[in-house]
Amino acid sequence: MSDDVNRTRNAPADPAPAVPPQEPAVFPSTQRVPFTRTGAAWFGICAGALLFVVLIVFMLQNTRSVQVTFFWMQGTLPLALALLIAGVGSAILTMVVGVARITQLRRVSRRQHH
């Protein structure tokens, strides 16, 4: 009867033996994770999202209207929008020059290999 006093209700008569804790798996620090397209896409999406946040803050802080004159056109628009248009125009011009250079290099490469 003394054994019944020390046992809790619904507890088995012979408890399972204690299992020693296992060591967590350790990976060598020299092992590198391989480069994947999915990883690159994830990084690009995160960088783009951060860039958009910065752009939104910039546009919200620069809402003052400015006078803009370009060739025969003139008008007023928010400073942030004027700078955004100038930046996008510069990016498009850079892409056009890059496409022209890549096309030029491909033509030279085809002539040399054929």
Side-chain angles (χ1 to χ4, degrees):
M1 190 84 132
S2 65
D3 287 337
D4 290 339
V5 172
N6 292 333
R7 254 191 324 182
T8 59
R9 188 187 240 175
N10 299 330
D14 293 326
V19 178
Q22 293 184 354
E23 296 279 329
V26 177
F27 297 102
S29 61
T30 58
Q31 187 178 14
R32 299 191 74 180
V33 177
F35 175 81
T36 62
R37 290 181 186 171
T38 306
W42 177 82
F43 179 79
I45 290 170
C46 290
L50 288 175
L51 183 65
F52 277 126
V53 168
V54 170
L55 183 64
I56 289 169
V57 170
F58 173 78
M59 292 186 82
L60 289 174
Q61 290 180 343
N62 292 285
T63 57
R64 181 176 56 95
S65 289
V66 293
Q67 179 76 28
V68 178
T69 303
F70 184 70
F71 293 122
W72 66 91
M73 300 175 285
Q74 66 179 14
T76 59
L77 61 145
L79 174 63
L81 184 59
L83 292 172
L84 181 65
I85 291 169
V88 169
S90 299
I92 290 171
L93 183 63
T94 302
M95 287 188 286
V96 167
V97 171
V99 166
R101 178 65 178 152
I102 290 170
T103 303
Q104 182 184 40
L105 290 173
R106 284 185 179 171
R107 284 183 183 165
V108 169
S109 177
R110 283 187 199 143
R111 287 181 190 155
Q112 290 177 352
H113 294 298
H114 289 283

